[in-house]
PDB file of all heavy atoms in Angstrom:
ATOM      1  N   ASP A 185      17.631  36.819  13.951  1.00  0.00           N
ATOM      2  CA  ASP A 185      16.774  37.569  13.039  1.00  0.00           C
ATOM      3  C   ASP A 185      17.153  37.255  11.592  1.00  0.00           C
ATOM      4  O   ASP A 185      18.256  36.797  11.307  1.00  0.00           O
ATOM      5  CB  ASP A 185      16.907  39.076  13.277  1.00  0.00           C
ATOM      6  CG  ASP A 185      16.417  39.483  14.657  1.00  0.00           C
ATOM      7  OD1 ASP A 185      15.337  39.011  15.047  1.00  0.00           O
ATOM      8  OD2 ASP A 185      17.117  40.266  15.331  1.00  0.00           O
ATOM      9  N   GLY A 186      16.221  37.548  10.695  1.00  0.00           N
ATOM     10  CA  GLY A 186      16.488  37.341   9.282  1.00  0.00           C
ATOM     11  C   GLY A 186      15.433  36.456   8.650  1.00  0.00           C
ATOM     12  O   GLY A 186      14.547  35.928   9.331  1.00  0.00           O
ATOM     13  N   PRO A 187      15.534  36.271   7.326  1.00  0.00           N
ATOM     14  CA  PRO A 187      14.543  35.440   6.629  1.00  0.00           C
ATOM     15  C   PRO A 187      14.624  33.990   7.070  1.00  0.00           C
ATOM     16  O   PRO A 187      15.700  33.487   7.428  1.00  0.00           O
ATOM     17  CB  PRO A 187      14.938  35.596   5.162  1.00  0.00           C
ATOM     18  CG  PRO A 187      16.389  35.950   5.193  1.00  0.00           C
ATOM     19  CD  PRO A 187      16.570  36.786   6.417  1.00  0.00           C
ATOM     20  N   GLN A 188      13.482  33.302   7.036  1.00  0.00           N
ATOM     21  CA  GLN A 188      13.480  31.898   7.439  1.00  0.00           C
ATOM     22  C   GLN A 188      14.351  31.062   6.514  1.00  0.00           C
ATOM     23  O   GLN A 188      15.070  30.161   6.962  1.00  0.00           O
ATOM     24  CB  GLN A 188      12.053  31.340   7.438  1.00  0.00           C
ATOM     25  CG  GLN A 188      11.986  29.892   7.938  1.00  0.00           C
ATOM     26  CD  GLN A 188      10.583  29.321   7.895  1.00  0.00           C
ATOM     27  OE1 GLN A 188       9.918  29.376   6.873  1.00  0.00           O
ATOM     28  NE2 GLN A 188      10.134  28.767   9.015  1.00  0.00           N
ATOM     29  N   VAL A 189      14.299  31.352   5.230  1.00  0.00           N
ATOM     30  CA  VAL A 189      15.055  30.579   4.252  1.00  0.00           C
ATOM     31  C   VAL A 189      16.293  31.351   3.836  1.00  0.00           C
ATOM     32  O   VAL A 189      16.207  32.446   3.279  1.00  0.00           O
ATOM     33  CB  VAL A 189      14.201  30.264   3.005  1.00  0.00           C
ATOM     34  CG1 VAL A 189      15.037  29.514   1.973  1.00  0.00           C
ATOM     35  CG2 VAL A 189      12.973  29.457   3.394  1.00  0.00           C
ATOM     36  N   GLU A 190      17.432  30.790   4.139  1.00  0.00           N
ATOM     37  CA  GLU A 190      18.726  31.338   3.722  1.00  0.00           C
ATOM     38  C   GLU A 190      19.642  30.143   3.510  1.00  0.00           C
ATOM     39  O   GLU A 190      20.078  29.504   4.463  1.00  0.00           O
ATOM     40  CB  GLU A 190      19.293  32.281   4.791  1.00  0.00           C
ATOM     41  CG  GLU A 190      20.566  33.000   4.367  1.00  0.00           C
ATOM     42  CD  GLU A 190      21.040  33.989   5.414  1.00  0.00           C
ATOM     43  OE1 GLU A 190      20.305  34.960   5.688  1.00  0.00           O
ATOM     44  OE2 GLU A 190      22.132  33.771   5.981  1.00  0.00           O
ATOM     45  N   ILE A 191      19.889  29.824   2.248  1.00  0.00           N
ATOM     46  CA  ILE A 191      20.626  28.609   1.931  1.00  0.00           C
ATOM     47  C   ILE A 191      22.055  28.700   2.426  1.00  0.00           C
ATOM     48  O   ILE A 191      22.736  29.708   2.243  1.00  0.00           O
ATOM     49  CB  ILE A 191      20.606  28.346   0.408  1.00  0.00           C
ATOM     50  CG1 ILE A 191      19.162  28.205  -0.083  1.00  0.00           C
ATOM     51  CG2 ILE A 191      21.414  27.102   0.065  1.00  0.00           C
ATOM     52  CD1 ILE A 191      18.394  27.082   0.550  1.00  0.00           C
ATOM     53  N   GLY A 192      22.512  27.637   3.050  1.00  0.00           N
ATOM     54  CA  GLY A 192      23.885  27.594   3.541  1.00  0.00           C
ATOM     55  C   GLY A 192      24.229  26.215   4.050  1.00  0.00           C
ATOM     56  O   GLY A 192      23.356  25.355   4.210  1.00  0.00           O
ATOM     57  N   GLY A 193      25.507  26.024   4.320  1.00  0.00           N
ATOM     58  CA  GLY A 193      25.979  24.726   4.798  1.00  0.00           C
ATOM     59  C   GLY A 193      26.550  24.829   6.191  1.00  0.00           C
ATOM     60  O   GLY A 193      26.048  25.580   7.042  1.00  0.00           O
ATOM     61  N   ASN A 194      27.653  24.101   6.432  1.00  0.00           N
ATOM     62  CA  ASN A 194      28.244  24.061   7.760  1.00  0.00           C
ATOM     63  C   ASN A 194      28.816  25.403   8.206  1.00  0.00           C
ATOM     64  O   ASN A 194      29.070  25.603   9.398  1.00  0.00           O
ATOM     65  CB  ASN A 194      29.360  23.016   7.792  1.00  0.00           C
ATOM     66  CG  ASN A 194      28.826  21.600   7.628  1.00  0.00           C
ATOM     67  OD1 ASN A 194      27.616  21.394   7.628  1.00  0.00           O
ATOM     68  ND2 ASN A 194      29.713  20.643   7.482  1.00  0.00           N
ATOM     69  N   ASP A 195      29.040  26.320   7.252  1.00  0.00           N
ATOM     70  CA  ASP A 195      29.564  27.632   7.618  1.00  0.00           C
ATOM     71  C   ASP A 195      28.476  28.539   8.189  1.00  0.00           C
ATOM     72  O   ASP A 195      28.773  29.582   8.779  1.00  0.00           O
ATOM     73  CB  ASP A 195      30.192  28.298   6.394  1.00  0.00           C
ATOM     74  CG  ASP A 195      29.191  28.470   5.251  1.00  0.00           C
ATOM     75  OD1 ASP A 195      28.321  27.596   5.109  1.00  0.00           O
ATOM     76  OD2 ASP A 195      29.292  29.471   4.519  1.00  0.00           O
ATOM     77  N   ARG A 196      27.201  28.151   8.022  1.00  0.00           N
ATOM     78  CA  ARG A 196      26.089  29.000   8.469  1.00  0.00           C
ATOM     79  C   ARG A 196      25.169  28.324   9.464  1.00  0.00           C
ATOM     80  O   ARG A 196      24.465  28.999  10.218  1.00  0.00           O
ATOM     81  CB  ARG A 196      25.258  29.436   7.257  1.00  0.00           C
ATOM     82  CG  ARG A 196      25.961  30.353   6.300  1.00  0.00           C
ATOM     83  CD  ARG A 196      26.168  31.741   6.890  1.00  0.00           C
ATOM     84  NE  ARG A 196      24.941  32.521   6.900  1.00  0.00           N
ATOM     85  CZ  ARG A 196      24.511  33.254   7.919  1.00  0.00           C
ATOM     86  NH1 ARG A 196      25.188  33.285   9.036  1.00  0.00           N
ATOM     87  NH2 ARG A 196      23.411  33.944   7.845  1.00  0.00           N
ATOM     88  N   TYR A 197      25.167  26.987   9.481  1.00  0.00           N
ATOM     89  CA  TYR A 197      24.224  26.259  10.331  1.00  0.00           C
ATOM     90  C   TYR A 197      24.932  25.153  11.101  1.00  0.00           C
ATOM     91  O   TYR A 197      25.806  24.469  10.568  1.00  0.00           O
ATOM     92  CB  TYR A 197      23.107  25.641   9.484  1.00  0.00           C
ATOM     93  CG  TYR A 197      22.237  26.670   8.789  1.00  0.00           C
ATOM     94  CD1 TYR A 197      22.488  27.044   7.474  1.00  0.00           C
ATOM     95  CD2 TYR A 197      21.172  27.265   9.460  1.00  0.00           C
ATOM     96  CE1 TYR A 197      21.691  27.996   6.839  1.00  0.00           C
ATOM     97  CE2 TYR A 197      20.374  28.211   8.822  1.00  0.00           C
ATOM     98  CZ  TYR A 197      20.641  28.565   7.525  1.00  0.00           C
ATOM     99  OH  TYR A 197      19.860  29.504   6.905  1.00  0.00           O
ATOM    100  N   VAL A 198      24.498  24.980  12.347  1.00  0.00           N
ATOM    101  CA  VAL A 198      25.042  23.928  13.194  1.00  0.00           C
ATOM    102  C   VAL A 198      23.884  23.218  13.897  1.00  0.00           C
ATOM    103  O   VAL A 198      22.966  23.877  14.412  1.00  0.00           O
ATOM    104  CB  VAL A 198      26.011  24.498  14.255  1.00  0.00           C
ATOM    105  CG1 VAL A 198      26.595  23.377  15.110  1.00  0.00           C
ATOM    106  CG2 VAL A 198      27.135  25.297  13.589  1.00  0.00           C
ATOM    107  N   SER A 199      23.926  21.900  13.910  1.00  0.00           N
ATOM    108  CA  SER A 199      22.900  21.111  14.596  1.00  0.00           C
ATOM    109  C   SER A 199      23.291  20.942  16.056  1.00  0.00           C
ATOM    110  O   SER A 199      24.433  20.560  16.363  1.00  0.00           O
ATOM    111  CB  SER A 199      22.752  19.742  13.922  1.00  0.00           C
ATOM    112  OG  SER A 199      22.270  19.886  12.614  1.00  0.00           O
TER     113      SER A 199
END
Side-chain angles (χ1 to χ4, degrees):
D185 296 315
Q188 184 182 52
V189 177
E190 186 176 297
I191 301 300
N194 293 353
D195 59 326
R196 293 289 284 135
Y197 296 96
V198 181
S199 295

